Amino acid sequence: MRVLFVCSGNTCRSPLAEGLARKMAAERGLSQITFASAGTGALDGGGASEAAILVGLERGIDLSTHRTRALTQGTLAQADLVLVMGPHHLESVRIQGGGDKAHLLDHYASSGESAGAVLDPFGGTLDAYRETAAELEYQIGRVLDRLSQAA
C-alpha cells in the first residue's frame, strides 16, 4: 500500500504527515505501507519550513532532508491512497485524475463520519505548528487503524 499526503506547498502539513506516518507505522510493525508527500502548488526541491522541522524533531522525526515535490499525474499514479489536507487539494487531485483514491484526511480517518480540513500553520507560531502536528498524529493513528483492519 502506497499512501500519498497532499497539501499546498509540501513544506508543512504533508511532510509532517509523511514523517509521522512513517514513524507510527514502524512502531506498529506495518512495514507493507509506504508514505510520500506532494503539494498542489509546490516547487520541486525546496525544504520543509523551519517550524515544521522543529516540531518534527520534538516528535522524533527529522524533516531536515525533506525536499518539496509538486503534485503530478505521475505522482498520483504511484499512489494507492491519496490523503489531502483540505477540499481545494481534493479538487486538484481529482482534476489530475486521482479521483477514487483521493480523500480528505479527516473523512478517510473517520470512515466518513466527519470531513474537516487540517489547518495550515504556514507563517504561524510554533504553537500553531504543534497543534497541526497533534491533529495529524490523531488522524494518522485512525488511518493506520483502518488500514491495518483492512489488511
Side-chain angles (χ1 to χ4, degrees):
M1 166 72 70
R2 295 167 298 189
V3 178
L4 177 67
F5 292 102
V6 176
C7 70
S8 298
N10 194 218
T11 61
C12 304
R13 291 172 289 179
S14 59
L16 277 168
E18 177 185 358
L20 289 167
R22 282 185 179 151
K23 179 183 179 206
M24 294 167 72
E27 291 170 351
R28 294 176 181 217
L30 299 173
S31 59
Q32 74 281 14
I33 307 171
T34 62
F35 303 95
S37 64
T40 59
L43 298 174
D44 289 337
S49 71
E50 185 176 319
I53 292 170
L54 290 172
V55 169
L57 289 172
E58 291 175 353
R59 286 171 164 70
I61 59 173
D62 182 3
L63 299 178
S64 65
T65 60
H66 171 76
R67 291 296 164 250
T68 57
R69 179 167 70 155
L71 180 69
T72 65
Q73 289 177 339
T75 305
L76 288 170
Q78 294 172 0
D80 299 307
L81 175 64
V82 180
L83 299 173
V84 304
M85 303 298 148
H88 56 291
H89 303 123
L90 189 58
E91 183 62 26
S92 292
V93 168
R94 289 188 173 151
I95 287 170
Q96 291 195 46
D100 293 342
K101 59 184 167 183
H103 308 271
L104 279 170
L105 175 60
D106 180 48
H107 190 260
Y108 187 85
S110 69
S111 297
E113 292 180 16
S114 60
V118 177
L119 296 179
D120 188 354
F122 186 76
T125 66
L126 200 53
D127 283 337
Y129 278 81
R130 288 180 179 124
E131 289 173 21
T132 296
E135 174 70 13
L136 289 169
E137 284 174 323
Y138 173 69
Q139 299 295 359
I140 291 165
R142 298 192 321 164
V143 166
L144 294 177
D145 289 345
R146 185 171 174 187
L147 293 176
S148 61
Q149 288 172 359

